Amino acid sequence: MSERGRRAPAGRAGRLRLRRSLATALRGADLLERELRLLLDRERVERRAAQEAGRAWRERLAEADVWLVRGVLLGGERALAEAVPEDRASVEVRWDALMGVRHPAAMAWSAPVRSAAEPTPANTALAHAEDAYRAAVGAAAEHAAHEAAAELLAAEAARTRQRVRALRRHWIPRLESELSSVELALEEAEHEEAVRRRWAATHGGG
């Protein structure tokens, strides 16, 4: 039977069932709202952390670019090519879960390690550029992790908000309306029964 054609259950058994359903729906809405607050709080934390990491990323990158230009002017592009280590940076992301939402919770990155046989930067400016680029890469990875966490948490918060809205605006009011109808019908039936009993007592049962 469709929801549109569904009728409220009658009688005391129906009232009991509706009361239980309404209590369950109210508890469910309360729990979802608490989950929503937790998700939104964590999302705000991740957004702030992403903004800070993004600002650090841009600052370190701009600083590195300045040092790079100075280093190239001092030693030429060949000095730049010789200063690049063969090793590569690596990023490791640790995942966590909040309200069933898996999201990046921490990030660790390892800078390239120059072997003893590899040349070091030819001048101080290139050395400063290398340090600044390392910091920029770390900040960029941190920014990406926080941004990804915020997006995942925001998506789950939106789904949770929809479920709360469905309960608060549709399901709970409908249960309350059905319960009110059943209780009114029971009150009317009990009143009619009381009238019949009084009439029967007055007239000696007929």
Side-chain angles (χ1 to χ4, degrees):
M1 183 180 293
S2 66
E3 290 294 332
R4 181 177 299 178
R6 188 174 65 85
R7 299 179 61 185
R12 291 181 175 83
R15 178 173 62 183
L16 179 60
R17 193 175 80 184
L18 283 170
R19 284 178 176 174
R20 288 174 176 171
S21 296
L22 179 57
T24 299
L26 289 169
R27 285 196 301 272
D30 290 341
L31 286 172
L32 286 173
E33 286 173 343
R34 285 198 289 271
E35 291 181 5
L36 180 59
R37 287 193 293 272
L38 289 173
L39 290 168
L40 292 175
D41 288 344
R42 181 66 67 83
E43 181 197 352
R44 282 191 289 270
V45 171
E46 296 294 340
R47 294 286 185 198
R48 287 195 297 269
Q51 290 176 355
E52 293 174 2
R55 184 163 50 250
W57 173 26
R58 291 186 292 272
E59 290 175 356
R60 298 290 81 77
L61 186 59
E63 178 186 351
D65 288 343
V66 171
W67 284 116
L68 178 63
V69 171
R70 293 179 182 176
V72 171
L73 290 175
L74 290 172
E77 294 185 1
R78 181 177 180 181
L80 173 62
E82 292 175 350
V84 177
E86 294 182 2
D87 193 12
R88 294 291 181 267
S90 63
V91 177
E92 181 180 353
V93 178
R94 181 176 64 81
W95 292 73
D96 199 355
L98 177 66
M99 301 295 117
V101 183
R102 293 190 73 251
H103 62 279
M107 183 279 304
W109 86 285
S110 300
V113 178
R114 181 177 284 105
S115 68
E118 291 180 290
T120 58
N123 54 63
T124 303
L126 288 179
H128 285 315
E130 182 177 290
D131 291 340
Y133 278 124
R134 288 174 187 267
V137 170
E142 187 174 352
H143 168 77
H146 288 301
E147 190 68 23
E151 292 299 326
L152 291 169
L153 293 164
E156 182 62 23
R159 289 189 289 267
T160 303
R161 187 181 290 109
Q162 289 177 349
R163 291 194 288 268
V164 171
R165 186 180 296 115
L167 283 170
R168 294 294 189 192
R169 296 186 180 180
H170 303 290
W171 184 240
I172 290 175
R174 184 167 59 191
L175 287 173
E176 290 174 336
S177 177
E178 291 179 358
L179 179 58
S180 178
S181 298
V182 170
E183 288 180 336
L184 179 60
L186 284 172
E187 289 176 2
E188 291 175 350
E190 290 170 356
H191 176 71
E192 292 174 359
E193 179 64 20
V195 170
R196 284 196 297 269
R197 289 179 179 176
R198 285 196 299 270
W199 188 90
T202 302
H203 294 80

